[in-house]
Amino acid sequence: MTQHIVVHMEIFREGDLYVGLCPDLEVSSFGETIEATKRSLREALEAFIEECEAMGTLEEILEEAGFFRQDGTWLPRQPVSTELVAIG
């Protein structure tokens, strides 16, 4: 991987497993522990990015996902506000 890309990583517990999600690129994976899930998600992200690079679509995908380049690093968009809202 030749690009330096920063992404958000979220880990959720689902039953006996942990699910790792990168909402920035809509990539997910799972594992039996939090650390195993982080490793699995990192591997899934690296494979996704390598495939995009091979197809020549990485820059387009990152821009469409809201990433911007700063000092040679791709950064995800940053919300100006986040909150949990109950509907209904």
Side-chain angles (χ1 to χ4, degrees):
M1 184 167 58
T2 59
Q3 301 281 340
H4 188 74
I5 303 166
V6 176
V7 297
H8 294 100
M9 182 183 288
E10 299 175 358
I11 308 293
F12 302 93
R13 177 90 187 206
E14 290 190 9
D16 293 338
L17 295 175
Y18 292 91
V19 174
L21 172 66
C22 171
D24 303 317
L25 295 173
E26 298 181 6
V27 173
S28 64
S29 193
F30 66 94
E32 293 184 1
T33 66
I34 291 173
E35 287 307 313
T37 302
K38 288 179 182 179
R39 280 192 306 275
S40 179
L41 181 55
R42 180 178 289 275
E43 290 170 4
L45 284 163
E46 288 172 353
F48 174 79
I49 290 166
E50 287 172 6
E51 185 63 26
C52 291
E53 284 180 323
M55 295 186 329
T57 60
L58 181 59
E59 188 168 319
E60 178 183 350
I61 287 171
L62 292 173
E63 288 174 352
E64 286 179 4
F67 282 77
F68 60 97
R69 192 176 271 180
Q70 182 177 356
D71 299 325
T73 298
W74 285 97
L75 299 170
R77 65 180 178 217
Q78 297 295 314
V80 294
S81 174
T82 62
E83 60 185 274
L84 296 174
V85 179
I87 307 298

